[in-house]
Amino acid sequence: MQSLVDQIVYVSDMFGTAVFAFSGVLVAGRLRMDAFGVLVLAAVTAIGGGTIRDMILGATPVFWVRDTLYIWVILLTALLGMWLVRVPKRLPWYVLPVADAFGLALFTVIGAQKALHFGASGLIAVLMGTMTGVAGGMIRDVLAREIPMVLQKEIYATACILGGIVYTVALECNVERVLAMFVSMAVVFGLRVAAIYWHLSLPTFSLQRG
């Protein structure tokens, strides 16, 4: 049973990697980058957060060096993405955001799991889960000379933080790991999809009075 769950998580991880990579392709296309620029933005979006996480935790070589399938998924996604964006018939607008929410939920749990595996505290596990989910997109936006979405009013990093807290607290309460994982993912995914559907956002901070 545990082996089956691990296999499902691995396949889902590859799916999330492809979704995040595709979001990098879209940003690169909007900025009219060349093929190398497309590949760079796809890669940093997909594996940037996990790379930083592994370097902080001392989990070297980082995950995509030990398993090069991540690189092949990113490369294939970049190539297919450059073709798909030119296809006249587009996917419904909600497909990519919902898939991104799923990838965000999974990356959050994977990051928290890895931190706990390396003996980190619950607080650090929450931070590593959040970093895994959002840091790649932050790097992408910085390279695109934009204010990272997670630093604005979007409910994105907040969903990761809450999901990470749910996961670590559940484990502390001796909840079975698989159940804790799915509950945490449901929290992240549910919050993110709700924010998209109902246009929910956090209050903004401004020095201007008005």
Side-chain angles (χ1 to χ4, degrees):
M1 177 63 181
Q2 188 62 52
S3 177
L4 177 61
V5 171
D6 290 338
Q7 290 177 11
I8 294 174
V9 170
Y10 182 74
V11 172
S12 300
D13 191 17
M14 291 301 168
F15 173 76
T17 298
V19 171
F20 274 39
F22 187 69
S23 73
V25 172
L26 293 179
V27 173
R30 179 164 51 80
L31 296 176
R32 304 178 66 86
M33 292 186 176
D34 60 17
F36 181 73
V38 172
L39 183 58
V40 168
L41 286 198
V44 299
T45 308
I47 60 177
T51 300
I52 297 173
R53 174 204 65 213
D54 282 6
M55 293 176 65
I56 292 175
L57 294 175
T60 54
V62 296
F63 67 101
W64 52 266
V65 174
R66 287 182 281 105
D67 185 354
T68 56
L69 183 57
Y70 288 94
I71 301 300
W72 288 111
V73 168
I74 292 168
L75 179 60
L76 182 60
T77 302
L79 294 174
L80 288 177
M82 286 187 285
W83 173 74
L84 284 174
V85 295
R86 300 177 185 276
V87 175
K89 187 176 181 180
R90 302 294 179 85
L91 292 172
W93 69 268
Y94 56 82
V95 171
L96 185 59
V98 170
D100 180 85
F102 174 80
L104 183 71
L106 182 65
F107 282 12
T108 299
V109 172
I110 288 175
Q113 279 184 349
K114 194 158 194 177
L116 294 173
H117 177 73
F118 276 79
S121 66
L123 174 61
I124 300 302
V126 172
L127 294 177
M128 292 299 103
T130 303
M131 181 176 297
T132 306
V134 308
M138 292 179 67
I139 298 172
R140 175 202 64 208
D141 292 346
V142 168
L143 292 176
R145 293 182 296 180
E146 299 177 348
I147 298 175
M149 179 181 65
V150 299
L151 299 183
Q152 302 182 67
K153 58 184 181 180
E154 286 278 348
I155 296 180
Y156 200 84
T158 308
C160 295
I161 293 171
L162 292 177
I165 292 173
V166 168
Y167 181 71
T168 54
V169 170
L171 292 181
E172 285 292 328
C173 295
N174 297 317
V175 174
E176 204 275 326
R177 185 175 72 90
V178 175
L179 178 59
M181 178 182 70
F182 283 120
V183 171
S184 174
M185 287 182 60
V187 169
V188 179
F189 181 81
L191 283 173
R192 183 61 190 141
V193 170
I196 294 169
Y197 185 80
W198 284 295
H199 305 287
L200 305 177
S201 62
L202 298 173
T204 58
F205 171 72
S206 175
L207 294 178
Q208 297 179 354
R209 297 181 179 179

